[in-house]
């Protein structure tokens, strides 16, 4: 590389490394023409410190030469500007529309030219679906016009193949990460009991591959340890830490029991606390202020998890989010709807979520790992897609990859690739065209096949609780199946209500809010105290679901769940299962939402399976003791007429449907788990009844309630609203600061308007109107900030918003100030800000129905809508966040 190119890269490195974080950027806006201000010096002292740059929705760092075509050549001929007006501006050299061609001489580029140029979306803002669609259409047009040559046809083929390559890699990597998480969790979970001699890294199932069958059910308190098939390689902590022989030559049972209890609790506590600390320290949203964020974004309030009132001169501090906590599905839904959260799908979050998930599940808390797999897969999809410019520079296109990744996450969680595709369509995705469905199916299939070859459980199964049945169901069983559906709906609705109120009033309304690690400690201690004494609560969640769903065949025992007609005494087993149901249900209410990775699928399946197994055992006992009843006539002399495992499966599906409100995808997942379509009717009946009952009691599922609690701006496209007498003028923000292009607008005056607007709250942008209120266009806050930073050395210079007659044939959005075109013959006025304008924003008359506005936001993906009067004069603006807030108030009003 020549000296000229080295100078360019040196300047790029200087601009990126000297970026100010958070509040330092605020102070730097306050002084004019003082490049050695206090804030500037503070930024220089802290240069290179803090968190590394992360992507718009991820956490990858990219080389400085990852820019649009033609960037390095023009940059080498311009003077680097250390903005003395805005301090050291931290916008990246590679802007969002890098290489975006808006050739004004070509009529096919008129739409792109009128729509304007964008810079990167800041964190906690909405993307512009329309702009991304226009940009991709322009890119495809330029690509298709080059098909006349062999090289052009090759590039077109590569462009069509990139999407398939990405989803293939995403499916493969997702399966590998899931395999590592599962194997690690197994080792750490068994560590609470003991370890494998000579191979401490092996879980008990791999250390002692022989099937462990316990004696009839007994609790550790009343009957001591259950009798197991001896395994010489497996050492329990009572043998390692306690006396081997008592004074009379026998083992001291009580002392061994105390050591087991203490070791179980201490190790569980260590695992849970470690997971929580990793989550709090490595994935706090304050760490992810990136080079793509606006310098005008409000700072974070580290002492609060709620949004504060606007602070004087600095906007409103945002609530602190911990990206690795929870299941991640509510946030993924919000991101796929068009919301930007920098770092949420980045490398650091992927690492912390994976490690923290293995630790938290291994601790024995009432949570699962299946839901977080969707978040993990989305992180993989985001990271992989960012290495391809087609998806890196188009947030709308990238969300197609994220939808496919979410399907792969469900595929590795349940071994259900078809169910994963339907789950992504039904529950997660916002935009799901047929092309995305095909790629999602391929991605899910690759993930499932890869995990099958890796064999994480050593059984040849994708998940531990895959079961098969060799008996069909009978018509009289529809009544208990219906009952299980009602139970699932009741549990799902009241679980959602109680968990929401616990999170709002206790977790965020008491001293626990400022001490999340203490909450984790308390919940872990209570969980260990209650779960250790019961065999069914002590075992892992997936193991519990498997034993409850399993069919009892001759010779099977399944942890005491298989009873024979000879014993005819199901009381102790039913009592133990009922106790497990109550303990698991109560603990899940207080566990879901604590600051560590936690899913809700397995706890919900476990509760429903417990109730289903109880009902199934009861029906089986009735059939054994009263075979002459008319309802059992279809059984004949068959002893195995009633299969309790089928009831457990139906109850599990109904309960999960009541909690998450999923229907079709859940039914298909259960079909894939059982590898049979014989139980279509029972599962569909229970799922539909469960969702109907839950919706009647609590309209929102657990994920929607988490979105409400976290105050995420998610626009639900499935919700229907009653508008009543509300008008568009009741929603439109008429106080938005406007810019008059026909007045004198200097760099300083525009800076003052920008700073004043942001100091009162985050605004999406500024309408451009004439003095007679005629709409000229709209310019976003980020775009105006970026443009002013480029010319900040001349605060008294006048800016204008009308397009110049001469413009570069092609420009790069990061270097279009004081730059020459490729042949060096043209010059673009750096104070011409029309380049950033949306000259054709969506408009709606003030007398239009509100449903029209709803459909424009939902189906067109609008970021903002301009409201005009009957004569076309400007009235106000409705941005997406304002509209979502209005819908929230409307929903509360009609609740």
């Amino acid at each position: 590389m020549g000296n000229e190119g080295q100078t360019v890269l040196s300047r790029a490195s200087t601009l990126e490394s000297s970026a100010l974080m958070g509040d330092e950027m605020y102070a730097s806006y306050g002084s004019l023409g003082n490049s050695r201000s206090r804030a500037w010096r503070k930024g220089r002292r802290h240069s290179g410190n803090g968190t590394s740059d992360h992507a718009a929705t991820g956490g990858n760092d990219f080389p400085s030469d990852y820019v649009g075509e033609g960037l390095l050549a023009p940059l080498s001929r311009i003077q680097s500007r250390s903005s003395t007006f805005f301090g050291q501006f931290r916008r990246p050299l590679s802007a969002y529309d890098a290489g975006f061609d808006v050739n004004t001489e070509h009529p096919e580029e008129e739409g792109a030219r009128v729509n304007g140029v964008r810079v990167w979306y800041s964190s906690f803002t909405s993307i512009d679906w329309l702009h991304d669609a226009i940009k991709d259409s322009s890119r495809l047009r330029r690509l298709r016009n080059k098909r006349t040559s062999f090289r052009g046809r090759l590039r077109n083929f590569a462009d069509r193949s990139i999407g398939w390559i990405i989803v293939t890699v995403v499916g493969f990597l997702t399966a590998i990460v899931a395999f590592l998480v599962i194997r690690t969790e197994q080792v750490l979970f068994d560590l609470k009991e003991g370890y494998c001699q000579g191979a401490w890294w092996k879980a008990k199932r791999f250390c002692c591959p022989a099937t462990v069958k316990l004696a009839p059910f007994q609790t550790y308190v009343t009957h001591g340890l259950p009798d197991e098939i001896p395994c010489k390689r497996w050492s329990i902590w009572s043998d390692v830490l306690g006396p081997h022989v008592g004074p009379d030559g026998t083992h001291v049972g009580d002392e061994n029991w105390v050591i087991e209890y203490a070791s179980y609790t201490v190790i569980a506590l260590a695992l849970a606390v470690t997971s929580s600390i990793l989550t709090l320290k490595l994935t706090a949203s304050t760490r992810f202020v990136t080079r793509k964020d606006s310098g005008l974004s409000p700072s974070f309030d580290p002492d609060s998890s709620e949004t504060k009132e606007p602070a004087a001169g600095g906007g409103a501090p945002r609530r602190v989010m911990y990206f690795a906590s929870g299941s991640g599905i509510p946030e993924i839904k919000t991101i796929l709807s068009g919301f930007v959260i920098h770092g949420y799908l980045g490398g650091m979050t992927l690492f912390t979520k994976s490690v923290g998930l293995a630790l938290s599940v291994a601790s024995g808390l009432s949570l699962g790992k299946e839901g977080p797999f969707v978040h993990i897969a989305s992180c993989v999809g985001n990271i992989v897609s960012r290495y391809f410019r087609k998806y890196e520079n188009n947030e709308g296109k990238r969300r197609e990859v994220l939808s496919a990744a979410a399907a792969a996450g469900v595929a590795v969680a349940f071994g259900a690739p078809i169910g994963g595709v339907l789950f992504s369509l039904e529950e997660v995705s916002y935009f799901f065209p047929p092309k995305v469905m095909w790629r999602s199916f391929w991605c899910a299939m690759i993930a499932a096949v890869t995990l099958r070859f890796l064999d994480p459980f050593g059984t040849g199964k994708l998940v531990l609780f895959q079961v098969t049945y060799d008996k069909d169901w009978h018509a009289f069983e529809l009544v208990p199946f219906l009952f299980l559906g009602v139970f699932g709906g009741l549990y799902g609705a009241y679980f959602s209500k109680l968990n929401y109120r616990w999170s709002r009033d206790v977790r965020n309304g008491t001293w626990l809010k400022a001490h999340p690690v203490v909450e984790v400690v308390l919940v872990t201690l209570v969980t260990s105290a209650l779960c250790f004494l019961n065999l069914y609560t002590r075992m892992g969640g997936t193991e519990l679901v498997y034993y409850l769903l399993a069919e009892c065949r001759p010779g099977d025992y399944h942890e005491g769940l298989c009873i024979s007609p000879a014993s005819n005494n199901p009381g102790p087993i039913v009592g133990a299962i009922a106790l497990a149901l109550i303990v698991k249900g109560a603990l899940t209410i207080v566990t879901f939402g604590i600051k560590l990775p936690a899913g809700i699928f397995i706890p919900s399946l476990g509760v429903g399976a417990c109730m289903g197994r109880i009902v199934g055992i009861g029906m089986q006992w009735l059939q054994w003791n009263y075979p002459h009843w008319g309802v059992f006539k279809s059984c004949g002399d068959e002893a195995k007429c009633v299969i309790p495992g089928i009831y457990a499966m139906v109850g599990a599906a109904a309960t999960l449907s009541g909690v998450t409100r999923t229907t079709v995808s859940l039914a298909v997942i259960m079909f894939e788990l059982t590898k049979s379509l014989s139980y279509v009717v029972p599962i569909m009946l229970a799922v539909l009844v469960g969702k109907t009952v839950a919706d009647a009691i609590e309209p929102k599922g657990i994920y929607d309630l988490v979105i409400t609690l976290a105050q995420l701006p998610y626009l639900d496209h499935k919700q229907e609203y009653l508008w009543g007498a509300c008008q568009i003028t009741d929603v439109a923000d008429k106080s938005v600061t406007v810019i008059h292009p026909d007045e004198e607008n200097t760099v300083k005056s525009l800076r003052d308007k920008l700073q004043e607007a942001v100091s009162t709250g985050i605004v999406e942008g500024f309408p451009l109107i004439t003095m007679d209120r005629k709409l000229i266009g709209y310019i976003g806050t980020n775009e105006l900030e970026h443009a002013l930073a480029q010319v900040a050395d001349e605060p008294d210079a006048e800016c204008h918003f009308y397009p110049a007659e001469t413009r570069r044939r092609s420009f790069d959005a990061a270097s279009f100030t004081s730059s020459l075109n490729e042949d060096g013959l043209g010059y673009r006025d750096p104070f011409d800000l029309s380049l950033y304008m949306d000259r054709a924003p969506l408009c709606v008359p003030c007398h239009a129905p509100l449903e029209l506005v709803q459909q424009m936001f939902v189906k067109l993906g609008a970021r903002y809508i301009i409201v005009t009067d009957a004569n076309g004069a400007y009235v106000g603006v409705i941005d997406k966040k304002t509209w979502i807030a209005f819908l929230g108030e409307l929903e509360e009003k009609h609740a």
Side-chain angles (χ1 to χ4, degrees):
M1 181 182 293
N3 295 334
E4 201 173 43
Q6 292 178 356
T7 303
V8 173
L9 294 181
S10 176
R11 289 171 180 167
S13 177
T14 301
L15 283 177
E16 291 184 6
S17 64
S18 61
L20 299 180
M21 295 299 202
D23 295 335
E24 284 96 349
M25 282 300 295
Y26 281 117
S28 66
Y29 297 150
S31 58
L32 289 174
N34 181 12
S35 62
R36 298 297 183 266
S37 64
R38 178 181 179 184
W40 186 89
R41 293 193 300 271
K42 184 178 180 181
R44 295 293 293 177
R45 288 196 304 269
H46 292 279
S47 176
N49 296 336
T51 303
S52 60
D53 294 341
H54 288 260
T57 53
N60 292 349
D61 297 331
F62 290 89
S64 58
D65 61 347
Y66 189 78
V67 293
E69 296 178 359
L71 172 61
L72 293 179
L75 266 181
S76 64
R77 292 191 289 267
I78 67 172
Q79 181 180 5
S80 176
R81 293 177 179 268
S82 289
S83 175
T84 60
F85 183 51
F86 281 86
Q88 290 288 72
F89 190 71
R90 68 162 177 244
R91 185 67 63 186
L93 289 178
S94 173
Y96 184 62
D97 285 342
F100 185 29
D101 186 7
V102 288
N103 183 6
T104 57
E105 299 178 359
H106 202 294
E108 294 182 2
E109 293 294 345
E110 180 65 18
R113 180 180 65 83
V114 170
N115 189 248
V117 170
R118 303 289 189 273
V119 296
W120 284 107
Y121 299 112
S122 293
S123 192
F124 301 98
T125 60
S126 299
I127 70 171
D128 192 336
W129 292 94
L130 293 175
H131 173 79
D132 290 342
I134 293 171
K135 182 164 71 170
D136 190 61
S137 176
S138 177
R139 183 191 65 82
L140 286 176
R141 183 198 63 79
R142 297 195 305 272
L143 198 61
R144 299 296 184 264
N145 287 344
K146 298 178 181 178
R147 287 183 295 183
T148 55
S149 64
F150 174 77
R151 183 180 178 183
R153 290 193 295 271
L154 191 61
R155 292 184 63 181
N156 273 268
F157 175 77
D159 181 76
R160 291 192 297 268
S161 304
I162 284 175
W164 293 99
I165 294 173
I166 290 177
V167 296
T168 302
V169 175
V170 169
F172 177 75
L173 294 180
T174 298
I176 291 178
V177 175
F179 170 79
L180 295 175
V181 171
I182 293 171
R183 281 293 179 92
T184 305
E185 178 265 326
Q186 290 176 349
V187 174
L188 296 177
F189 187 90
D190 291 339
L191 188 64
K192 300 196 303 293
E193 178 184 344
Y195 69 95
C196 184
Q197 296 180 11
W200 59 266
W201 59 88
K202 288 186 177 181
K204 187 175 182 180
R205 66 172 49 251
F206 297 104
C207 181
C208 306
T211 304
V212 176
K213 297 186 178 182
L214 303 184
F217 174 80
Q218 50 192 329
T219 62
Y220 295 142
V221 173
T222 58
H223 297 86
L225 290 173
D227 298 326
E228 300 183 6
I229 295 178
C231 179
K232 296 181 179 180
R233 296 187 62 191
W234 186 257
S235 296
I236 60 176
W237 294 116
S238 60
D239 292 339
V240 176
L241 302 177
H244 296 281
V245 180
D248 56 352
T250 60
H251 286 281
V252 182
D254 290 340
E255 187 172 344
N256 288 344
W257 174 82
V258 171
I259 293 174
E260 286 291 322
Y261 206 156
S263 60
Y264 180 93
T265 303
V266 170
I267 296 176
L269 196 61
L271 295 174
V273 170
T274 303
S275 176
S276 181
I277 292 176
L278 288 175
T279 300
L280 296 174
K281 298 299 182 182
L282 298 184
T283 61
S285 53
T286 51
R287 294 177 51 88
F288 296 92
V289 180
T290 77
R291 61 190 175 98
K292 295 180 180 179
D293 273 314
S294 168
L296 298 174
S297 298
S299 59
F300 291 95
D301 178 10
D303 298 326
S304 174
S305 61
E306 300 295 333
T307 303
K308 294 294 185 180
E309 295 297 324
R318 294 196 193 101
R319 65 185 298 272
V320 177
M321 298 177 62
Y322 299 100
F323 294 161
S325 65
S327 71
I329 293 180
E331 290 80 5
I332 297 298
K333 289 181 62 174
T334 305
I335 290 175
L336 290 180
S337 73
F339 195 56
V340 177
I341 308 178
H342 289 176
Y344 194 82
L345 301 179
M348 181 60 72
T349 304
L350 173 61
F351 169 78
T352 309
K353 189 84 172 189
S354 302
V355 175
L357 180 62
L359 294 171
S360 61
V361 175
S363 68
L365 292 171
S366 184
L367 47 84
K369 57 180 177 290
E370 283 67 24
F373 276 153
V374 176
H375 186 188
I376 290 173
S378 298
C379 290
V380 174
N382 177 71
I383 294 172
V384 173
S385 66
R386 293 194 54 80
Y387 287 97
F388 299 86
R389 187 182 304 166
K390 175 181 177 180
Y391 296 95
E392 151 69 0
N393 288 340
N394 194 309
E395 291 281 356
K397 294 290 293 181
R398 196 187 312 166
R399 276 153 178 77
E400 297 179 4
V401 177
L402 298 183
S403 294
V410 177
V412 298
F414 293 100
I418 300 176
V421 175
L422 294 177
F423 182 85
S424 180
L425 170 63
E426 179 182 3
E427 183 66 24
V428 179
S429 296
Y430 204 82
F431 178 67
F432 207 82
K435 176 177 62 176
V436 177
M437 181 177 293
W438 304 334
R439 291 178 179 173
S440 299
F441 182 71
W442 175 258
C443 185
M445 186 194 70
I446 292 295
V449 171
T450 304
L451 191 64
R452 176 66 179 269
F453 281 114
L454 293 174
D455 194 11
F457 298 101
T459 59
K461 298 179 179 179
L462 292 178
V463 291
L464 185 62
F465 49 91
Q466 272 186 343
V467 293
T468 55
Y469 303 108
D470 56 10
K471 297 290 183 180
D472 206 346
W473 57 280
H474 301 273
F476 69 85
E477 294 179 300
L478 287 176
V479 175
F481 291 157
L482 182 65
F483 167 77
L484 291 174
V486 174
F487 169 80
L490 291 173
Y491 174 82
Y494 285 105
F495 166 80
S496 300
K497 282 179 175 290
L498 293 174
N499 178 259
Y500 176 78
R501 293 180 180 178
W502 175 272
S503 300
R504 182 192 62 187
D505 301 332
V506 180
R507 180 172 294 124
N508 292 329
T510 63
W511 59 273
L512 290 175
K513 177 180 180 180
H515 303 87
V517 177
V518 176
E519 181 186 15
V520 171
V521 171
L522 294 177
V523 172
T524 306
L525 289 175
V526 173
T527 302
S528 299
L530 295 178
C531 292
F532 183 84
L533 304 179
N534 185 298
L535 177 63
Y536 301 135
T537 56
R538 186 181 182 184
M539 67 176 59
T542 53
E543 290 180 308
L544 175 62
V545 173
Y546 166 72
Y547 287 126
L548 291 171
L549 266 60
E551 179 181 355
C552 294
R553 295 180 175 88
D556 287 340
Y557 186 74
H558 294 317
E559 306 296 344
L561 292 172
C562 293
I563 58 176
S564 63
S567 62
N568 201 21
N569 184 23
I573 296 177
V574 170
I577 299 175
L579 180 61
L581 186 154
I582 296 173
V583 171
K584 286 286 187 181
L587 288 176
T588 306
I589 292 174
V590 299
T591 302
F592 187 68
I594 60 178
K595 297 302 184 289
L596 45 70
I600 195 63
F601 283 171
I602 287 300
S604 301
L605 289 174
V607 170
C610 284
M611 175 55 72
R613 193 78 185 196
I614 291 173
V615 174
I617 291 175
M619 291 294 296
Q620 187 181 57
W621 182 84
L622 288 175
Q623 191 267 331
W624 284 347
N625 289 272
Y626 304 97
H628 57 277
W629 284 6
V631 293
F632 300 126
K633 184 181 296 185
S634 59
C635 294
D637 297 331
E638 185 180 2
K640 290 183 59 177
C641 179
V642 176
I643 308 299
I646 296 178
Y647 290 77
M649 178 187 64
V650 172
T655 304
L656 187 56
S657 176
V659 172
T660 63
R661 311 302 163 86
T662 52
T663 53
V664 178
S665 60
L666 176 58
V668 173
I669 288 173
M670 301 306 293
F671 299 156
E672 293 185 87
L673 281 177
T674 58
K675 293 182 170 51
S676 174
L677 296 178
S678 302
Y679 314 104
V680 171
V681 174
I683 292 177
M684 292 180 62
L685 175 66
V687 166
L688 291 175
V689 171
K691 185 181 186 306
T692 302
V693 173
D695 285 341
I697 301 173
E698 170 54 60
K700 290 185 177 182
I702 187 63
Y703 295 139
D704 294 326
L705 289 175
V706 171
I707 289 174
T708 301
L709 186 67
Q711 300 176 354
L712 298 174
Y714 175 72
L715 180 58
D716 192 351
H717 59 290
K718 303 174 185 177
Q719 184 72 24
E720 296 181 356
Y721 298 93
L722 299 176
W723 307 110
C726 297
Q727 302 293 329
I728 288 183
T729 52
D730 299 330
V731 189
D733 189 353
K734 306 180 184 65
S735 61
V736 172
T737 304
V738 299
I739 297 175
H740 298 286
D742 47 1
E743 290 184 341
E744 181 180 4
N745 292 287
T746 65
V747 175
K748 180 180 182 301
S749 65
L750 291 175
R751 187 286 310 263
D752 293 340
K753 283 188 176 182
L754 180 63
Q755 188 171 2
E756 179 183 359
V758 175
S759 66
T760 59
I762 294 300
V763 294
E764 293 287 348
F766 302 88
L768 301 166
I769 62 175
T770 62
M771 296 303 295
D772 57 354
R773 306 194 68 78
K774 177 182 177 182
L775 181 66
I776 301 299
Y778 187 91
I779 185 170
T781 301
N782 288 359
E783 285 70 39
L784 182 59
E785 176 193 354
H786 182 85
L788 294 179
Q790 303 294 326
V791 295
D793 287 338
E794 303 179 54
D796 296 325
E798 182 178 359
C799 300
H800 49 89
F801 295 88
Y802 293 100
E805 295 181 359
T806 304
R807 182 175 294 175
R808 292 180 55 193
R809 175 169 53 84
S810 179
F811 63 88
D812 189 285
S815 60
F816 38 67
T817 58
S818 304
S819 57
L820 302 175
N821 63 7
E822 284 77 356
D823 52 18
L825 299 177
Y827 179 80
R828 196 193 73 80
D829 182 5
F831 300 97
D832 177 13
L833 306 188
S834 63
L835 191 66
Y836 304 91
M837 288 172 48
D838 181 1
R839 296 165 60 191
L842 287 176
C843 298
V844 62
C846 58
H847 56 272
L850 286 174
E851 183 63 30
L852 175 62
V853 179
Q854 169 74 352
Q855 297 304 318
M856 292 175 75
F857 277 116
V858 169
K859 296 184 177 179
L860 296 182
R863 194 182 187 190
Y864 48 81
I865 297 175
I866 307 296
V867 180
T868 61
D869 61 15
N871 298 321
Y874 169 80
V875 174
V877 179
I878 304 176
D879 60 45
K880 194 172 183 179
K881 289 185 178 180
T882 302
W883 181 251
I884 293 174
F886 165 73
L887 294 180
E889 296 175 358
L890 195 66
E891 191 174 353
E892 292 180 0
K893 180 180 178 182
H894 294 93

